[in-house]
């Protein structure tokens, strides 16, 4: 099973804040190894995807 199927890598700080306001917690935050961009890692779920799609 691919990691992308289980996790959502969020590279947008406004989207991350929106997800947190809607009750989701990220697993960790880190910097992408090659780009140096910060991301927040969320457990993927239907509820999370619904909030992302509605944004």
């Amino acid at each position: 099973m691919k990691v992308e199927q289980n996790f959502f890598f969020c590279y947008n700080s406004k989207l991350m804040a929106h997800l947190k306001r809607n009750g989701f917690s990220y697993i960790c935050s880190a910097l992408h190894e090659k780009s140096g961009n910060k991301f927040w890692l969320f457990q993927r779920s239907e509820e999370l995807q619904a909030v992302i799609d509605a944004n």
Side-chain angles (χ1 to χ4, degrees):
M1 189 175 288
K2 290 185 177 181
V3 171
E4 293 84 15
Q5 293 175 341
N6 297 321
F7 300 103
F8 173 66
F9 294 84
C10 179
Y11 285 90
N12 183 309
S13 60
K14 289 182 182 181
L15 178 57
M16 180 276 299
H18 178 70
L19 293 173
K20 286 188 66 173
R21 280 193 304 274
N22 280 276
F24 296 96
S25 299
Y26 57 84
I27 298 167
C28 68
S29 63
L31 299 177
H32 186 273
E33 185 176 348
K34 292 181 182 177
S35 70
N37 293 332
K38 186 172 184 175
F39 68 88
W40 296 266
L41 185 66
F42 289 87
Q43 180 71 43
R44 191 175 289 277
S45 68
E46 290 181 14
E47 294 84 7
L48 180 82
Q49 191 61 52
V51 172
I52 292 169
D53 292 343
N55 188 26

